[in-house]
Amino acid sequence: MIKKLEELYRLIGRQINGTPREKGIFICWIGQPIYWVIILGCASGLVISRFIEGVYNPLLWAGLAWGLIASLVWFAIALFASRRQMSDAQENRFASFTILFFGLSGIVSLLLVGPFNLVTGIVLTGCVLIGLLLFPAPQITLVFALSMGAILAYAIAISLDSTLYRPLLSPVDYQPAQVWYDLMTIIAAGLIIIKDAFTVAALTSTWRHREASTFDRSIRDPLTGVANRGHLLQTLTHQLAIPTRARKGLAVVLMDVDFFKQINDRYGHATGDQALIHVAETLQDNLRDNDLLGRYGGEEFLMLLPGATLSQAHNVAERCAEALRHNAMAIPGSPAIKLTASFGVSSASAQSAMDAHTLIEEADRAMYTAKHQGRDRVVVYSRPQ
């Protein structure tokens, strides 16, 4: 049972990313519990009316017929749409049709059970909320305006003629009958609240997951999966902006893969991409949990080491360089490629006032010194006294 509910939860949640047709079909199904409640309520009312005076209302037959007809019509619409291929324009028209038809059928249900009761208020609120999560606001606003217009028209009609008709959930004079109607109202309201809460929770959960995924993609390099340049600079700037009394030291390590152009020229860019992924994974495996690795550009990677001294950052860089030397990249049908890199290290003490550009520039200079000294080594930037 729990597994089925989890599958339903995920199915509902996916509708927020669905096509207009999928959302339209979802609307066909989401109204079904409301009509089933009407069917069961009216059927039980007809049975109970044989034993309790005052329960009978001619609209119980109308409610039973309406619930059955509406449920079958929505089922037929959903079946038709699921089996028919549609263009983008047809999907949009279908979605607009389902929204409008849902509103009109809701108005009929509203007038049947009565607009001034707990159930109607809950249904109206839930439909508007779910509709705004799935569809453009103007379409939902139109349907909401139609519903409110129907309520206003009903109110005016009642004020002019109080004997117009008695809705299903309107008060009755006989106490036992009123108890039964109150019980039906509470049960119907509870079921619809559970349905709406489950639906909204599934939609908003997927929405939050989608937003989190979008944010995660915006800060990551699409090839290697490590942080991108923008996120690196933003994080480094934020770290350096922390007041000196609350800040710890910070070190950066900039590295460049040696002879990377030769890998691209000899093996092709696809292998070059795999080499960058291999380098990123090797570096990540040799960093602390609170360190941040990112692709700075091309074959350059930048490591931010919060709280690290210059000596500690030097040790981290040496560990990464050693790991690269001893972790050759396998290539199907060819000898493994041995990768090396040149590392430049720089740091800012807790008391220093240094910006991100200066700190990275120092690491860059140290890295190019490593290149000029023969590559495959770590050089620490020596700041002039």
Side-chain angles (χ1 to χ4, degrees):
M1 180 65 179
I2 293 177
K3 196 174 212 181
K4 292 288 186 183
L5 286 175
E6 289 175 349
E7 291 176 0
L8 179 62
Y9 190 85
R10 287 192 293 270
L11 176 64
I12 293 173
R14 285 198 297 270
Q15 301 307 314
I16 204 163
N17 298 319
T19 64
R21 180 178 68 164
E22 290 171 338
K23 292 179 180 179
I25 294 173
F26 178 65
I27 290 296
C28 295
W29 294 119
I30 202 173
Q32 291 286 2
I34 297 174
Y35 298 114
W36 296 341
V37 167
I38 292 175
I39 292 169
L40 293 175
C42 291
S44 61
L46 289 170
V47 173
I48 294 295
S49 66
R50 300 174 67 89
F51 306 99
I52 300 178
E53 183 183 349
V55 170
Y56 182 76
N57 184 331
L59 285 184
L60 288 171
W61 290 107
L64 181 62
W66 167 245
L68 288 169
I69 292 170
S71 180
L72 290 173
V73 168
W74 280 114
F75 177 79
I77 293 173
L79 192 64
F80 169 79
S82 62
R83 295 184 176 182
R84 180 182 174 86
Q85 293 295 325
M86 298 184 186
S87 64
D88 290 345
Q90 289 173 328
E91 286 197 7
N92 288 324
R93 285 196 295 271
F94 172 71
S96 298
F97 164 76
T98 56
I99 294 170
L100 183 60
F101 190 62
F102 187 89
L104 294 175
S105 59
I107 289 172
V108 174
S109 302
L110 177 151
L111 295 176
L112 187 67
V113 302
F116 308 122
N117 59 72
L118 179 64
V119 174
T120 297
I122 291 172
V123 170
L124 195 59
T125 303
C127 290
V128 171
L129 181 57
I130 294 170
L132 288 173
L133 288 172
L134 292 173
F135 299 101
Q139 292 178 313
I140 304 304
T141 303
L142 173 62
V143 174
F144 178 72
L146 289 173
S147 301
M148 295 307 295
I151 292 176
L152 179 61
Y154 173 86
I156 294 173
I158 288 296
S159 65
L160 295 176
D161 183 5
S162 59
T163 62
L164 188 64
Y165 73 101
R166 181 169 70 86
L168 290 175
L169 295 183
S170 60
V172 295
D173 296 331
Y174 189 56
Q175 187 61 32
Q178 184 60 54
V179 170
W180 183 83
Y181 275 112
D182 290 343
L183 182 62
M184 290 297 100
T185 298
I186 293 171
I187 293 174
L191 292 174
I192 293 170
I193 287 174
I194 292 171
K195 184 265 295 182
D196 287 348
F198 188 82
T199 303
V200 171
L203 292 173
T204 53
S205 175
T206 303
W207 195 355
R208 286 193 297 269
H209 179 72
R210 183 180 68 180
E211 293 300 308
S213 299
T214 300
F215 174 75
D216 188 66
R217 288 194 299 270
S218 73
I219 65 174
R220 294 196 177 276
D221 173 58
L223 175 63
T224 61
V226 298
N228 58 28
R229 181 180 180 128
H231 184 55
L232 282 169
L233 294 176
Q234 184 181 34
T235 303
L236 180 57
T237 301
H238 173 74
Q239 291 284 336
L240 294 173
I242 298 174
T244 55
R245 64 180 179 275
R247 189 177 74 201
K248 298 180 180 180
L250 174 68
V252 299
V253 179
L254 184 64
M255 61 81 69
D256 182 88
V257 181
D258 296 330
F259 304 112
F260 182 73
K261 185 176 183 303
Q262 294 181 12
I263 297 175
N264 275 336
D265 292 343
R266 180 176 179 180
Y267 298 99
H269 288 281
T271 301
D273 288 346
Q274 290 302 312
L276 292 175
I277 295 171
H278 177 81
V279 169
E281 291 174 347
T282 303
L283 295 176
Q284 192 71 70
D285 289 342
N286 288 275
L287 293 179
R288 304 170 302 175
D289 290 340
N290 63 328
D291 296 335
L292 180 63
L293 170 67
R295 187 178 175 192
Y296 193 64
E299 64 270 23
E300 290 184 341
F301 290 85
L302 181 67
M303 291 163 266
L304 309 185
L305 313 178
T309 64
L310 193 62
S311 174
Q312 290 170 332
H314 183 206
N315 291 337
V316 170
E318 287 286 6
R319 185 168 68 241
C320 291
E322 186 71 13
L324 276 176
R325 292 188 199 105
H326 294 89
N327 189 17
M329 186 181 78
I331 300 179
S334 299
I337 300 177
K338 291 186 176 182
L339 297 168
T340 62
S342 302
F343 295 77
V345 183
S346 182
S347 69
S349 66
Q351 290 74 32
S352 65
M354 185 177 294
D355 59 52
H357 174 76
T358 302
L359 193 59
I360 294 174
E361 186 177 5
E362 290 179 352
D364 188 56
R365 290 177 183 175
M367 184 190 71
Y368 274 99
T369 299
K371 291 281 189 187
H372 294 149
Q373 290 179 359
R375 297 181 171 85
D376 187 21
R377 66 193 64 219
V378 178
V379 173
V380 175
Y381 180 76
S382 179
R383 196 170 290 135
Q385 300 297 323

